[in-house]
Amino acid sequence: MFKVQLENIFLNIIFMVFLCICTVFDIRKKEIPIYMILIGIISSFGVNIWQIFEGTISVTGVSVSLFPGLFFLLISFCTKEKIGYGDGLILIVSGLVLGFYQCFLGLCISLICSSVFALLLLVLHKARKDSELAFVPFLTIGMGVSFFVWA
């Protein structure tokens, strides 16, 4: 039991470092390099396969954890990338690392934070209604808060 908790803490720390790196790219270039996303997806799938064989998670749990990211990818497609594909792919990695419930909690927190920030920018006349906002920094905040709430 203690070994599983240490593994989860270690994975969460690595995941937060990954999110922080993606945040820097998203803020500076408004996009996340595909190689970063591929590293995240491949390594998180690898960890999930290992945990399935170890018996700590189920295939169903892994499948369900993909829903938030797949939903964001669908929204990206339907809105012609008003929400970027990178955000959906980062949420896929988040779901694979954290599981559905913790990922969903982090997503809700990040949506609230980004909405408050956008509203603040609009009220202060620092942005217009068609301005773009990087979302991965808010995902990083939301996932970070979810670690402490979930723990």
Side-chain angles (χ1 to χ4, degrees):
M1 179 77 173
F2 184 68
K3 178 185 169 216
V4 172
Q5 288 177 335
L6 277 178
E7 287 175 2
N8 285 340
I9 291 170
F10 183 68
L11 287 174
N12 288 345
I13 291 170
I14 291 172
F15 177 63
M16 283 306 295
V17 169
F18 171 77
L19 277 180
C20 289
I21 293 169
C22 290
T23 295
V24 171
F25 280 109
D26 199 24
I27 289 172
R28 288 190 178 174
K29 298 185 179 189
K30 298 285 189 229
E31 67 179 33
I32 302 160
I34 191 68
Y35 69 86
M36 287 293 299
I37 294 171
L38 287 175
I39 288 170
I41 290 175
I42 291 169
S43 58
S44 59
F45 262 120
V47 168
N48 276 272
I49 290 170
W50 170 44
Q51 289 176 335
I52 288 169
F53 284 120
E54 209 174 50
T56 55
I57 60 172
S58 67
V59 174
T60 306
V62 172
S63 302
V64 170
S65 70
L66 298 173
F67 285 165
L70 293 175
F71 181 69
F72 254 60
L73 288 176
L74 179 66
I75 292 172
S76 296
F77 178 76
C78 292
T79 62
K80 297 182 178 110
E81 284 193 73
K82 294 291 181 185
I83 294 175
Y85 288 117
D87 299 327
L89 293 171
I90 292 294
L91 273 171
I92 286 177
V93 175
S94 301
L96 289 170
V97 172
L98 304 174
F100 175 78
Y101 295 110
Q102 190 174 357
C103 177
F104 189 72
L105 175 64
L107 175 60
C108 289
I109 293 168
S110 61
L111 287 170
I112 291 168
C113 289
S114 67
S115 298
V116 168
F117 187 73
L119 186 63
L120 185 65
L121 288 177
L122 287 171
V123 168
L124 296 175
H125 301 289
K126 299 291 183 185
R128 297 186 324 239
K129 66 178 182 175
D130 60 341
S131 297
E132 293 182 4
L133 200 64
F135 187 64
V136 175
F138 298 104
L139 274 177
T140 305
I141 292 167
M143 297 304 165
V145 170
S146 77
F147 291 145
F148 293 107
V149 171
W150 204 258

